[in-house]
Amino acid sequence: VQRGLNIKKILIVVLTLAAFSLFILDFVIINTDIGARLTNIESVQESQSINGIATGTFFDNIVGDRLVYYVVGWRYFLESPLTGIGMWNFKWLTQGDYPLHSEYMVHLSEGGLIGASIWLLFIISLFKGIFKSDKYTYIKIIACFSIIEILFCGIYARVFYYEFFYPIIGIAISISFWGRERPKKIIKHI
């Protein structure tokens, strides 16, 4: 009987999050500039072909006009794969007005394999910590969905650049350490 109640709680949390996300997407984002940009696929594809950055894959439609960051960022990654081009150097190397706008390419292009590996280890340890926490299952699910939403935002934005992502990451970190066994003291009292 207890297992059935847990499944009901999980379904309620998942359905509530899905409904809330649909509400946000349908009523809030669609009526903003970013919503208009996301729904105007034809002009984005035209811009990609004019600029010569189209890859001809489904990736073109997913990232839209930010494809330039992935294409140019990938080129810079291939030039210096181990250490990358250095943080904040994308803007200066491209002589553009904006820094790199993709969390994934920030770590891969500007940080190289070293930076991308450290970031990936952070994300993996965050999920592992959440799953090992002794909090209720529905709290773990909410924390995991929150991190997944941040990872989705990372396709289009620099997550660690904007402070409004920090509370979500902080809550996930605190949940991952909540209830875990504390390390034993190294120095014994005399």
Side-chain angles (χ1 to χ4, degrees), residues 59-147:
F59 199 62
D60 295 352
N61 294 333
I62 292 173
V63 296
D65 57 350
R66 299 196 183 233
L67 182 65
V68 68
Y69 297 120
Y70 285 91
V71 172
V72 176
W74 183 254
R75 287 183 202 146
Y76 286 139
F77 167 71
L78 293 177
E79 288 177 12
S80 183
L82 187 60
T83 58
I85 60 175
M87 291 306 288
W88 302 104
N89 281 337
F90 181 87
K91 178 179 177 180
W92 307 115
L93 288 173
T94 59
Q95 298 175 355
D97 295 328
Y98 303 105
L100 194 53
H101 276 62
S102 162
E103 190 68 30
Y104 299 102
M105 289 311 293
V106 164
H107 297 294
L108 193 60
S109 175
E110 295 183 344
L113 290 174
I114 294 171
S117 298
I118 292 170
W119 180 69
L120 187 61
L121 286 173
F122 170 72
I123 298 298
I124 290 170
S125 66
L126 196 57
F127 277 112
K128 278 179 71 174
I130 290 170
F131 286 122
K132 287 183 179 181
S133 172
D134 66 349
K135 297 308 295 170
Y136 294 109
T137 304
Y138 67 92
I139 291 177
K140 292 181 194 181
I141 290 171
I142 291 172
C144 287
F145 271 114
S146 298
I147 298 302

Side-chain angles (χ1 to χ4, degrees), residues 9 13 18 38 45 63 71 84 95 140 171:
K9 287 180 184 178
V13 168
L38 290 173
Q45 289 173 338
V63 296
V71 172
Q95 298 175 355
K140 292 181 194 181
I171 290 170

Side-chain angles (χ1 to χ4, degrees), residues 16 36 61 64-65 82 86 110 117 138 148 152-153 155 157 167 178 185:
T16 303
N61 294 333
D65 57 350
L82 187 60
E110 295 183 344
S117 298
Y138 67 92
I148 289 169
F152 175 77
C153 290
I155 296 172
W178 201 324
K185 292 186 178 183

